[in-house]
Amino acid sequence: MPKNEPQNIISAVADYGKRLFSFIRGRVNTDEDAEDILQDVWYQLSNQPETNAIEQVGSWLYRVARNKITDRYRKQKDQLLEDLSFEDEDGEISFKEILLAEAYSPEEEGLKKLFWDQLFSALEELPENQRYVFIQNELEERTFQDIANETGENIKTLISRKGYAVKHLRNRLQHLYQEFINY
């Protein structure tokens, strides 16, 4: 690495650090997530073979930040239904295993259909705003940021509403869940 390259990185951190953090923070749920992503951006910059070759450092940093944010949301999307899990004596089993499992017998297919029916019935019992957030985030696989942009609601409010929905669904479906795992 040429001698002036560490100076370019220090200069970039000084020039873009606060603005880049604000940019990232506006697109993620917590300060900790924003700090992690910002750290990943600085790490990627420090691993560039020639920082002098980057013509528009600011544009490059923001593009890397957007990519890191997108990557984080993609990782989270894979775990959406994991919020709906119970712990049994053998460890944790999630509703996702029930809802998306392949049925090997007519009985299993019937139980799976019953579970879906009960899930939608329990969803109907929720206040509209909780039901909407849960369905959009879990079943439609939309991010909280997308829902916030659409509704104008604060992301923390949406997360709270989903939390209430999950608690209700856990309580309402506990008996059926136990029947299913003991089948």
Side-chain angles (χ1 to χ4, degrees):
M1 179 182 285
K3 286 185 179 183
N4 62 349
E5 294 220 7
Q7 187 60 38
N8 289 345
I9 294 170
I10 293 168
S11 176
V13 170
D15 293 345
Y16 295 101
K18 288 181 182 179
R19 288 182 291 170
L20 195 56
F21 177 80
S22 294
F23 171 80
I24 296 167
R25 181 58 184 101
R27 289 159 177 78
V28 297
N29 296 332
T30 65
D31 286 345
E32 292 80 15
D33 287 345
E35 290 167 0
D36 289 346
I37 291 171
L38 184 60
Q39 184 176 359
D40 289 344
V41 171
W42 296 135
Y43 180 76
Q44 189 163 338
L45 178 63
S46 70
N47 282 329
Q48 288 301 306
E50 293 184 30
T51 56
N52 290 334
I54 301 172
E55 292 180 25
Q56 298 289 329
V57 174
S59 297
W60 186 91
L61 290 170
Y62 282 91
R63 187 177 69 244
V64 171
R66 276 190 296 277
N67 291 342
K68 297 289 182 187
I69 292 166
T70 301
D71 291 347
R72 178 156 303 224
Y73 279 120
R74 282 184 185 144
K75 277 200 298 196
Q76 288 176 351
K77 194 184 283 188
D78 293 340
Q79 299 174 2
L80 293 175
L81 284 175
E82 300 305 318
D83 291 340
L84 280 175
S85 60
F86 291 99
E87 194 168 313
D88 62 9
E89 59 273 87
D90 297 326
E92 192 171 278
I93 298 177
S94 72
F95 281 129
K96 187 176 185 178
E97 292 174 20
I98 296 169
L99 297 173
L100 302 178
E102 186 175 328
Y104 294 104
S105 69
E107 293 83 13
E108 288 177 357
E109 186 62 40
L111 282 173
K112 189 172 160 183
K113 181 183 180 325
L114 175 64
F115 197 88
W116 274 105
D117 292 344
Q118 290 298 310
L119 173 64
F120 284 111
S121 176
L123 284 170
E124 288 300 317
E125 297 168 357
L126 292 170
E128 173 60 33
N129 56 10
Q130 291 176 17
R131 178 174 55 244
Y132 182 78
V133 170
F134 182 86
I135 289 172
Q136 292 301 306
N137 184 246
E138 290 294 336
L139 303 179
E140 299 295 327
E141 297 185 344
R142 292 182 62 202
T143 65
F144 286 113
Q145 185 66 54
D146 287 342
I147 300 167
N149 291 343
E150 174 194 325
T151 63
E153 297 279 348
N154 183 310
I155 290 178
K156 290 181 181 180
T157 301
L158 297 173
I159 292 170
S160 176
R161 286 179 183 163
K162 180 183 172 191
Y164 287 121
V166 168
K167 285 178 188 175
H168 172 75
L169 294 171
R170 280 183 178 156
N171 291 333
R172 175 73 160 61
L173 300 174
Q174 174 72 36
H175 183 273
L176 183 60
Y177 178 79
Q178 292 300 323
E179 284 183 32
F180 199 98
I181 63 171
N182 291 327
Y183 174 73

